Amino acid sequence: MALITRNHPKLTLEGARAVLEAAERRAGELRAPMDIAVVDDGGHLLVFARMDGAKPSSIALALVKAQAAAMRRAATGPAMAGDQLNLPVILGLAVANPAYQTPIRGGVPLLVDGQVVGAIGASGGTEEQDLDAARAGAAAIEKA
């Protein structure tokens, strides 16, 4: 029986900056100024950017999206039951753990060798734009 594990990949500051820059580029292409947060696998902030023109109200949303994606090891978004929203689960998760749960898309885990090393959260555009920018950021680390 193993008492410890070894050789877990970790997101570096340089890696977090690369993720942030890729997401900023995509947000610029979308013409959607965003607030973008990159966190480590424990949900702790590594880097943050508020693009010129980004909404101040989106600062907290970007961080919650990133933290939720890191802690839940999954992209943010509403809980579904088939093709329908599962409102009881959405509300239950939000009440049970509001700091690490959001039904709003735009938080994406960062994966290296199938392991979550962190996450990115983008906010300021539509949900589709936020998700697009976050995925662009996540793609930067997947190439490493």
Side-chain angles (χ1 to χ4, degrees):
M1 171 160 52
L3 299 179
I4 61 171
T5 59
R6 299 186 189 278
N7 301 322
H8 289 280
K10 294 288 181 189
L11 182 61
T12 65
L13 180 59
E14 182 180 350
R17 286 180 176 150
V19 168
L20 178 70
E21 289 168 6
E24 280 184 290
R25 274 193 303 279
R26 184 61 186 143
E29 292 167 1
L30 296 169
R31 299 181 193 267
M34 294 184 187
D35 294 293
I36 304 166
V38 179
V39 300
D40 66 14
D41 63 330
H44 304 285
L45 184 64
L46 291 172
V47 293
F48 179 85
R50 181 171 172 218
M51 297 174 66
D52 292 340
K55 302 170 194 169
S57 61
S58 293
I59 294 169
L61 290 172
L63 185 56
V64 166
K65 288 178 183 184
Q67 290 172 327
M71 298 303 287
R72 296 187 65 237
R73 307 303 201 238
T76 62
M80 303 296 285
D83 62 347
Q84 300 293 316
L85 290 175
N86 190 334
L87 194 54
V89 171
I90 291 169
L91 294 174
L93 288 171
V95 169
N97 199 353
Y100 297 120
Q101 173 59 38
T102 179
I104 304 169
R105 292 179 297 153
V108 175
L110 304 175
L111 300 171
V112 173
D113 298 330
Q115 294 184 48
V116 174
V117 297
I120 180 171
S123 188
T126 64
E127 278 188 85
E128 290 77 21
Q129 290 171 326
D130 293 352
L131 183 57
D132 190 346
R135 284 182 175 158
I141 203 73
E142 291 169 2
K143 297 174 187 173

